[in-house]
Amino acid sequence: MNSTLKVNYLPALTYRFLKSNNSEIEIKDIKIQDVATPDAENVPTSVTVTKNVTEADIQKLFSGINEKIASRKTTLPGPNGDTSPLNDTQTVKTGMGAEIDELMKEMNVPVTLITAEEGYEIKEPVTIKYSLKDGDCALGSQVIYAKKGSELTVIMEYDSEPEANGFLGIQTRLLAEEGAKINLIKVQMLGEKITHFEDIGGVCDDKADIETINMQLGAGKTWGGCRITLVGDKSVFNNHTGYLCRHKQSYDMNYVADQMGKKTLSNMVFRGVLLDEAEKTFRGTLDFKSGSAGSVGDEQEDTLLLSPDVINRTIPVILCEEEDVDGRHGASIGQLGDDTIFYMESRGIDEESAKKLMIRARMESIARMIPDEAMIIRIQQFIRTIL
Amino acid sequence: MSENNKSVVDIDRSVYDIKDVENEQDFYRMEDGFTEDIVKKISEEKHDPEWMREFRLKSLEIYNKLEMPDWGPDTDELDMNLISSYVRSKTDMKGKWEEVPEDIKNTFERLGIPEAERESLAGVGAQYDSELVYHNVKDEVAEQGVIYTDMESALTGDYAEMVHEYFMKLVPPTDHKYAALHGAVWSGGSFVYVPKGVKVDIPLQSYFRLNAAGAGQFEHTLIIVDEGADLHFIEGCSAPKYNVANLHAGCVELFVKKNARLRYSTIENWSKNMYNLNTKRALVEEGARMEWVSGSFGSHTSYLYPMTILKGDHSTMEYTGITFAGKGQNLDTGAKVVHQGKYTSSLISTKSISKSGGIGTYRSSVIINKEAKHAKTSVSCDSLMLDSISRADTIPGMDIRTNDADVGHEAKIGRISDEAVFYLMSRGLSEEDARAMIVSGFANPVSKELPLEYAVEMNNLIKLEMSGG
């Protein structure tokens, strides 16, 4: 196993001095002992959970959609600094990239396949919970497969003892067939001494929809990647990410909406707060491929900086080789406005309380989208505790 | 590609593309390639002081060690062994237009340079291949104490110490491979010094013409605008088209002192066999202001990102740029800014148009250092796609290291909306005119910042001819 994983490659490289073209995870001292996905809780009927699925089975599952992706490829030149060839070996292109696949393969991580049967709209979420104890080092891999016309919600929660040391790396791959919808919710409330990565890759066929909600609230060092390929016409990708980094926490992320089909729609929202000496790198890419006529993409980032010692890197990329598209990106980065603080103070709320209020408001604006009241309460409690 | 957009055609470049046949007896051409011997020869040719000779050789050493970046346009077709570093006419630089050799004079006449000088400029430098052939500054500007001369004269004349103090201090040869190459073989360019408190009401201009096939142009522009002074400097560039690659690796260093203002306007209109690997950088002191206006139209490949270092408190920067990438072009352009001082602000606004397979990339970086309290920055980049065989990419980067900053960024990519065309057509415009009007309007934020004759040139460069139907 390589001692360093190179992950989160920007789809089109830029200046080296920005130190954002990719990121590295040091894993030489990590001794992985656990590679099993915990049992899913509350599995409804019409959902099948299959353990220990081989990579060959996964390749077979994705072969049809991958043929469709291959048929859409053109000979047009890629962007300057194109890194897409680095992902060519992946069965499903993910945000963090091929070296995560290699790690999973090398560590013989078994895949758990969660399948929603054709035509079933399952409202009850499937829950998978990782609870780490001190010293736990785990990897996990899941494939979520929504067959034609089905809908499935999966909530994955990660927590640990506050002082626990450890490592948790998860790769989740998604396949939404025609007219299907996958809601994937990830809530990370690990202790600050834990290193964590969260790698997501998904594909949408015609009129399919992938919705992701990502709450990154704990862990010392976190890497997150998410790449959704909208190969089907009228397919949709919606993402809402909320993150809170404090002390010396770091969060390095790479989100890509790869829009290939006609009239695809992607909408990515990122809301975060940086405190103390926290560090965050955001890479967000809308990639309009040739043939994606009528597609719309939007990515919005809103970052609140609450300490003079934070580091915020933002690389919002739009790549476009199709004329008939509408791509937008907006970023707003800064501290609380004086007028906001003044308003709060005029209502009897001191500055420190106003900041805490704003942090909670930001995080809860994402958390409230989770279709699980108990989970929302746990998130609120976790935020209150750490603040 | 939609039928409608087939009607957007390339502009007539004939005025720029006329080649002047350079008679061997009238021109001196250095052998191709970049070796120590060639660098020594250039140094001898130019009667460099010893420090400059050493500087050139050290730069060459750095050039040979540095790699090309992995993020930009491909330059594999640029064979450096087939590029001549130095080509000059066997004539001295003239201070009177009548004394310039006829063939060279004709080239600049066609480009409208002397006419512009007569009508709207305070001074002109005209570079042909590797050397300036004409340099003139109006008496009233000279009387204000403004120095506007060629780099070689400045290097060995009364301003030698000043040149030594500033030359490639802002863009060191270690900056990147082509900065190092520039340091080794630079030739020509302008030196400008505006004394304290002097406001130059009308612009100075340098025009760079690369006429020789398979040649490089490596002019160095050094401008120092002293405290409280004000200057508008215009740079124009063009070259005829050949079937071999040409290289432009100029370097512009701008020092904007306390409470001074400098506006630097450029229309880059190189031919489509040109590799334009240019470096521009400004250091802005307390209360000073730097304004960039940039139009990139020609060249086969461009790497161009004017950089501003807002060193002083309350210093400001504004960058307004447009890039038009047509057939066979890969134009990678944008801006860089570093906020160091307190209460600094930057505003970057760019437009790009891609058509007929052209690749237009907007690339930028905004760095706000820890000590840059109360910094404000706003970045806006809009891209217009005119067909589906082109590319328009935006790759902005931000690195913010203080919470006491206000950062806004927005980017948009799209096409000419059918509704807008329909609306204009309902008001009596033809479809062709409607599309032309929309594209002109898209480029207007840049063209309105240019002096009139340059705005006209720019509008000519993006002129649209609609075929109808």
Side-chain angles (χ1 to χ4, degrees):
Chain A
M1 186 165 72
N2 288 336
S3 60
T4 304
L5 297 174
K6 284 196 169 181
V7 298
N8 281 354
Y9 274 92
L10 200 61
L13 299 176
T14 191
Y15 310 119
R16 281 175 287 205
F17 64 78
L18 286 170
K19 295 184 172 59
S20 301
N21 282 331
N22 58 35
S23 187
E24 292 184 351
I25 309 178
E26 292 289 342
I27 56 166
K28 64 178 184 298
D29 299 325
I30 294 166
K31 303 282 180 287
I32 306 293
Q33 317 106 332
D34 186 2
V35 290
T37 295
D39 288 339
E41 298 168 20
N42 12 300
V43 181
T45 50
S46 330
V47 173
T48 315
V49 178
T50 316
K51 294 209 150 202
N52 301 322
V53 175
T54 65
E55 192 59 29
D57 292 335
I58 302 303
Q59 284 171 358
K60 198 172 166 187
L61 178 66
F62 280 87
S63 62
I65 201 83
N66 281 343
E67 277 173 27
K68 191 169 180 174
I69 291 169
S71 72
R72 296 284 175 93
K73 281 200 169 166
T74 67
T75 54
L76 291 169
N80 295 331
D82 186 11
T83 63
S84 62
L86 295 172
N87 290 339
D88 280 349
T89 57
Q90 293 193 280
T91 304
V92 185
K93 288 184 172 19
T94 64
M96 290 184 74
E99 295 205 8
I100 298 297
D101 284 21
E102 286 161 27
L103 173 71
M104 296 290 174
K105 188 177 164 187
E106 207 164 335
M107 300 305 297
N108 293 314
V109 179
V111 181
T112 296
L113 175 64
I114 302 166
T115 307
E117 294 306 325
E118 187 173 324
Y120 283 91
E121 288 186 32
I122 304 136
K123 294 297 175 196
E124 187 67 25
V126 175
T127 305
I128 297 171
K129 185 167 181 179
Y130 282 83
S131 286
L132 267 65
K133 296 184 296 298
D134 189 35
D136 283 356
C137 290
L139 291 173
S141 177
Q142 307 81 30
V143 169
I144 299 166
Y145 173 33
K147 288 186 178 176
K148 192 173 174 181
S150 66
E151 181 175 350
L152 172 65
T153 300
V154 176
I155 299 177
M156 295 177 74
E157 183 182 355
Y158 319 130
D159 64 15
S160 72
E161 297 152 1
E163 292 303 311
N165 282 281
F167 178 87
L168 177 63
I170 305 289
Q171 186 181 62
T172 307
R173 292 173 286 180
L174 315 169
L175 174 56
E177 282 188 347
E178 187 182 339
K181 184 177 183 185
I182 296 172
N183 302 301
L184 176 65
I185 294 138
K186 302 253 186 177
V187 179
Q188 184 265 102
M189 296 183 287
L190 296 163
E192 276 185 69
K193 292 178 183 170
I194 289 175
T195 298
H196 171 59
F197 76 71
E198 176 76 77
D199 187 27
I200 301 169
V203 191
C204 281
D205 207 337
D206 291 351
K207 296 180 186 171
D209 185 345
I210 289 177
E211 311 264 335
T212 54
I213 297 171
N214 217 315
M215 297 290 296
Q216 297 289 343
L217 303 171
K221 289 184 174 176
T222 303
W223 285 265
C226 177
R227 183 182 189 115
I228 304 298
T229 304
L230 300 173
V231 66
D233 294 346
K234 296 186 179 175
S235 54
V236 175
F237 169 46
N238 278 308
N239 171 77
H240 287 82
T241 295
Y243 58 90
L244 172 57
C245 298
R246 60 203 179 100
H247 301 153
K248 288 183 182 287
Q249 287 177 309
S250 68
Y251 183 26
D252 186 289
M253 57 182 136
N254 186 37
Y255 278 74
V256 183
D258 200 350
Q259 299 185 237
M260 299 175 92
K262 286 183 172 61
K263 296 189 177 178
T264 59
L265 175 66
S266 73
N267 181 39
M268 297 190 275
V269 175
F270 304 87
R271 284 196 198 117
V273 181
L274 302 182
L275 296 142
D276 308 320
E277 295 170 62
E279 184 175 334
K280 173 220 95 184
T281 301
F282 164 74
R283 304 174 195 83
T285 301
L286 299 171
D287 189 352
F288 295 102
K289 294 288 198 313
S290 181
S292 61
S295 293
V296 176
D298 190 9
E299 51 179 350
Q300 297 294 329
E301 193 203 9
D302 183 358
T303 310
L304 190 56
L305 309 177
L306 292 179
S307 155
D309 301 315
V310 297
I311 295 176
N312 178 91
R313 295 191 193 93
T314 296
I315 318 277
V317 175
I318 304 179
L319 306 175
C320 181
E321 57 183 20
E322 168 62 46
E323 174 212 12
D324 183 12
V325 298
D326 181 358
R328 290 164 191 271
H329 173 270
S332 172
I333 302 161
Q335 56 189 344
L336 275 182
D338 289 344
D339 44 0
T340 306
I341 291 168
F342 177 79
Y343 175 81
M344 297 278 192
E345 286 177 336
S346 73
R347 295 290 181 278
I349 303 164
D350 63 63
E351 188 173 336
E352 202 52 38
S353 303
K355 283 179 180 176
K356 286 178 181 175
L357 194 65
M358 293 306 289
I359 293 168
R360 285 206 300 270
R362 260 161 208 261
M363 293 304 106
E364 286 176 20
S365 70
I366 305 284
R368 275 196 299 272
M369 303 168 86
I370 298 169
D372 180 338
E373 280 301 321
M375 170 66 77
I376 295 169
I377 290 165
R378 284 202 295 280
I379 290 169
Q380 287 169 338
Q381 282 171 339
F382 183 84
I383 293 169
R384 258 190 226 108
T385 305
I386 62 175
L387 291 178
Chain B
M1 179 170 137
S2 74
E3 197 58 40
N4 291 332
N5 293 332
K6 286 180 182 175
S7 56
V8 181
V9 297
D10 276 327
I11 51 102
D12 176 11
R13 291 187 50 91
S14 58
V15 68
Y16 306 103
D17 280 345
I18 293 170
K19 303 174 182 73
D20 298 296
V21 180
E22 293 181 348
N23 296 320
E24 277 183 31
Q25 62 270 30
D26 295 335
F27 280 83
Y28 171 79
R29 181 178 175 125
M30 191 73 74
E31 59 267 36
D32 292 352
F34 297 88
T35 64
E36 192 174 315
D37 283 347
I38 286 170
V39 170
K40 283 176 179 171
K41 273 187 202 172
I42 291 172
S43 197
E44 279 164 33
E45 269 284 324
K46 303 178 88 63
H47 310 294
D48 280 342
E50 185 56 26
W51 74 265
M52 180 56 77
R53 185 175 178 277
E54 283 173 19
F55 184 90
R56 287 181 186 277
L57 291 169
K58 182 72 188 155
S59 297
L60 183 71
E61 222 176 280
I62 294 164
Y63 166 74
N64 286 325
K65 281 180 193 162
L66 290 177
E67 296 289 319
M68 271 303 280
D70 52 3
W71 45 259
D74 184 17
T75 55
D76 288 352
E77 287 177 21
L78 177 63
D79 186 344
M80 298 302 284
N81 297 316
L82 300 178
I83 298 284
S84 171
S85 57
Y86 187 74
V87 180
R88 69 165 168 81
S89 161
K90 290 178 181 172
T91 178
D92 295 334
M93 190 181 70
K94 306 299 180 191
K96 287 185 178 167
W97 189 246
E98 303 76 49
E99 295 169 2
V100 175
E102 203 62 32
D103 51 350
I104 296 176
K105 197 159 61 177
N106 288 344
T107 301
F108 286 114
E109 292 278 4
R110 275 198 304 269
L111 294 166
I113 304 306
E115 188 186 348
E117 182 188 8
R118 282 192 298 272
E119 289 178 9
S120 56
L121 295 169
V124 160
Q127 179 156 337
Y128 195 86
D129 293 335
S130 298
E131 296 284 5
L132 268 88
V133 292
Y134 172 69
H135 216 290
N136 188 35
V137 61
K138 284 192 173 167
D139 291 345
E140 54 267 37
V141 176
E143 282 163 14
Q144 286 180 289
V146 175
I147 310 303
Y148 180 36
T149 183
D150 61 297
M151 271 308 297
E152 283 79 0
S153 301
L155 182 68
T156 54
D158 295 346
Y159 310 98
E161 270 183 43
M162 202 184 269
V163 172
H164 195 173
E165 184 186 347
Y166 288 100
F167 187 86
M168 289 196 85
K169 293 295 192 294
L170 209 46
V171 184
T174 49
D175 206 70
H176 60 83
K177 192 172 178 69
Y178 287 89
L181 181 67
H182 176 91
V185 299
W186 75 271
S187 176
S190 296
F191 172 77
V192 181
Y193 173 73
V194 185
K196 285 182 185 179
V198 171
K199 295 198 175 352
V200 184
D201 293 330
I202 45 177
L204 299 177
Q205 181 195 351
S206 279
Y207 199 96
F208 301 103
R209 174 74 176 175
L210 181 53
N211 195 67
Q217 193 170 55
F218 306 95
E219 83 288 347
H220 193 92
T221 301
L222 174 57
I223 299 176
I224 300 157
V225 186
D226 215 329
E227 292 184 14
D230 190 310
L231 175 70
H232 182 187
F233 191 87
I234 301 172
E235 179 193 65
C237 331
S238 71
K241 190 171 184 339
Y242 294 100
N243 293 324
V244 294
N246 275 26
L247 169 64
H248 175 240
C251 179
V252 175
E253 296 186 287
L254 310 172
F255 295 86
V256 193
K257 303 289 188 180
K258 188 176 174 181
N259 296 329
R261 171 186 168 270
L262 172 60
R263 171 171 279 221
Y264 196 93
S265 301
T266 308
I267 295 288
E268 300 245 6
N269 182 27
W270 297 112
S271 55
K272 293 189 180 179
N273 57 308
M274 178 69 81
Y275 284 79
N276 181 31
L277 311 171
N278 208 2
T279 311
K280 297 177 180 182
R281 199 160 295 172
L283 184 69
V284 189
E285 304 277 4
E286 188 185 338
R289 179 171 176 78
M290 179 68 215
E291 297 170 4
W292 301 92
V293 181
S294 179
S296 293
F297 297 92
S299 87
H300 174 275
T301 297
S302 267
Y303 280 74
L304 181 64
Y305 325 97
M307 180 176 181
T308 310
I309 300 162
L310 296 171
K311 183 184 172 193
D313 295 352
H314 297 278
S315 55
T316 63
M317 165 274 202
E318 190 171 331
Y319 176 90
T320 309
I322 186 160
T323 297
F324 192 114
K327 189 178 181 181
Q329 293 183 285
N330 188 337
L331 306 187
D332 201 302
T333 62
K336 299 190 236 178
V337 60
V338 179
H339 290 252
Q340 282 182 359
K342 294 178 180 65
Y343 294 96
T344 52
S345 74
S346 62
L347 176 64
I348 296 173
S349 171
T350 67
K351 305 275 185 182
S352 91
I353 303 166
S354 301
K355 66 177 269 285
S356 307
I359 301 171
T361 304
Y362 165 77
R363 188 184 302 277
S364 69
S365 77
V366 174
I367 295 174
I368 299 181
N369 286 334
K370 197 174 170 64
E371 62 276 14
K373 303 298 176 198
H374 309 287
K376 285 188 177 172
T377 183
S378 171
V379 179
S380 160
C381 44
D382 295 345
S383 301
L384 190 60
M385 288 279 284
L386 296 185
D387 56 50
S388 285
I389 56 167
S390 305
R391 283 203 73 91
D393 300 330
T394 68
I395 312 170
M398 287 163 266
D399 185 336
I400 317 300
R401 292 177 181 244
T402 174
N403 64 321
D404 202 348
D406 186 351
V407 180
H409 169 90
E410 59 172 334
K412 288 201 292 279
I413 281 185
R415 65 196 287 243
I416 296 177
S417 93
D418 291 340
E419 290 83 358
V421 173
F422 177 78
Y423 172 81
L424 291 170
M425 287 172 73
S426 74
R427 294 291 181 275
L429 269 71
S430 67
E431 186 177 342
E432 294 84 349
D433 289 345
R435 287 178 180 279
M437 183 179 278
I438 290 163
V439 173
S440 296
F442 180 76
N444 189 52
V446 180
S447 59
K448 74 179 171 60
E449 295 295 333
L450 290 164
L452 180 63
E453 61 278 15
Y454 277 86
V456 170
E457 182 187 3
M458 198 190 97
N459 284 328
N460 283 337
L461 287 169
I462 53 172
K463 192 172 73 181
L464 303 170
E465 293 181 11
M466 314 311 261
S467 62

